[in-house]
Amino acid sequence: MLRVVTAAVVLFLIVPSTNGFAKPPIPLTDCETITQRGNYILENDLVFTSGMGNGSCLVIDSSHVNVDLNGQAITCIYSPELPIPCGEEFAPLAGIGIDIEADHVSIAGGNVDGFTVGIFGEADHISATGLSLTTGIGIVLDDASHSSFTDITYAGGDQQYHASNGPVLSVSGGGHNSFTTVSGSSGGGFFEMPGIIVENSSNNVIDGANIDCTAEAAAGPGILLTQDSDNNFVTNNNIFVLFGNGIEVDLNSDYNVIQNNTVETETTEPGFFAMLDQNPDCGSDVWTDNVFTNEFAFLTGQASASPVDCIH
């Protein structure tokens, strides 16, 4: 009997209680570098000044970090003495809003405004959801893998005259990432600016994006797969491009599936298509169940897709 009672006491002492003893999230009140794992929460807007140079407001340098933006904003101003939002006249965009340098990091629920880059990631297993970005470039991923981005909205943050904004999303290297319901508009100036660009990255999923590309010259492509980007799945996206290509797969990007997308262009010059595959006869890419139109095809006399025989 004594042994049974002793064992019960030992179990009581070593089993953690479930009655509210979890640590509360660590508050964030200023731009800083996170170097310890844990759960964090913004208690107020974080403000970065462009006088800090091209640094970053929030740097995550530890793995296993969760940041709840708590509906707050990470913003940039010109200076405390002249608090003009970055991106307006006389206050250029600056720095990076959130710089993720470690694996297993999640960001959720808030705004990032006025930075050259909204989110920069060079790690694996990144999760971002419910974010609004008003920045020069939305998201930049460098050799990131096994990451997911969901419910991301983007608007160009550079409001200066003839400014070009975008891309919404730029992926270079890595792979096995998912991008779901990413939306925004790129372009606006004289430079050709893709909405989403995937370079040398494979096995990614782009699903449910809503992308507009407009410019004062050529725009787009809305989605571009280039530089040996293979085995990507591009589906259920809505793309509009003014004077440019809609969805484009460049030469030597293979085994991609482009399915169930709606793509519209308004192009008055030949050589631009709602859907374009530079591989001969589409190579090993599969284009199926897509809807593609060029509102001015009657002027150019060309089909809205190229090669016309393998894109449908």
Side-chain angles (χ1 to χ4, degrees):
M1 182 65 180
L2 180 60
R3 290 181 180 177
V4 173
V5 173
T6 303
V9 172
V10 170
L11 284 173
F12 177 80
L13 291 175
I14 65 173
V15 174
S17 171
T18 59
N19 296 325
F21 287 95
K23 290 183 178 180
I26 301 166
L28 296 171
T29 58
D30 294 293
C31 294
E32 65 174 88
T33 298
I34 295 174
T35 58
Q36 299 292 327
R37 66 170 57 198
N39 299 319
Y40 295 78
I41 188 168
L42 265 66
E43 290 200 337
N44 51 259
D45 292 349
L46 306 187
V47 181
F48 178 91
T49 62
S50 60
M52 297 178 181
N54 287 318
S56 304
C57 179
L58 187 62
V59 180
I60 303 174
D61 200 22
S62 172
S63 62
H64 300 283
V65 167
N66 305 308
V67 179
D68 180 1
L69 298 186
N70 193 30
Q72 308 288 347
I74 298 176
T75 65
C76 174
I77 62 172
Y78 183 73
S79 70
E81 297 76 24
L82 192 62
I84 301 172
C86 296
E88 296 186 2
E89 293 293 336
F90 309 112
L93 300 173
I96 299 171
I98 303 174
D99 184 356
I100 302 171
E101 300 181 358
D103 298 342
H104 297 283
V105 168
S106 71
I107 308 289
N111 304 332
V112 181
D113 303 327
F115 293 89
T116 303
V117 176
I119 299 175
F120 178 81
E122 51 181 354
D124 299 335
H125 301 283
I126 299 169
S127 172
T129 184
L131 302 179
S132 175
L133 312 176
T134 306
T135 53
I137 302 171
I139 300 167
V140 176
L141 298 181
D142 184 9
D143 204 26
S145 297
H146 303 286
S147 298
S148 64
F149 291 76
T150 305
D151 295 333
I152 309 295
T153 61
Y154 164 86
D158 193 344
Q159 303 302 313
Q160 301 185 67
Y161 190 55
H162 291 312
S164 292
N165 289 282
V168 178
L169 167 66
S170 175
V171 181
S172 179
H176 296 276
N177 303 298
S178 66
F179 307 98
T180 307
T181 55
V182 174
S183 63
S185 300
S186 69
F190 289 107
F191 299 102
E192 191 171 345
M193 189 68 68
I196 295 175
I197 179 170
V198 178
E199 300 178 279
N200 190 31
S201 184
S202 300
N203 299 291
N204 301 291
V205 176
I206 302 172
D207 184 3
N210 288 278
I211 300 295
D212 287 357
C213 294
T214 60
E216 297 175 45
I223 298 177
L224 173 63
L225 305 181
T226 188
Q227 296 182 19
D228 303 304
S229 292
D230 304 328
N231 296 295
N232 295 288
F233 188 35
V234 179
T235 185
N236 300 319
N237 302 292
N238 292 287
I239 309 296
F240 172 80
V241 178
L242 180 65
F243 206 75
N245 294 321
I247 297 178
E248 177 180 334
V249 178
D250 283 352
L251 187 66
N252 297 323
S253 289
D254 300 312
Y255 300 100
N256 298 289
V257 176
I258 298 90
Q259 182 179 30
N260 200 36
N261 301 281
T262 300
V263 184
E264 178 184 351
T265 62
E266 293 184 0
T267 299
T268 58
E269 295 291 330
F272 294 107
F273 301 89
M275 294 189 168
L276 172 65
D277 196 324
Q278 294 187 358
N279 295 289
D281 297 322
C282 294
S284 54
D285 298 319
V286 176
W287 298 73
T288 184
D289 299 323
N290 299 290
V291 177
F292 45 90
T293 56
N294 176 9
E295 294 300 314
F296 295 104
F298 67 94
L299 294 176
T300 63
Q302 68 179 18
S304 299
S306 177
V308 67
D309 294 335
C310 59
I311 297 179
H312 47 268

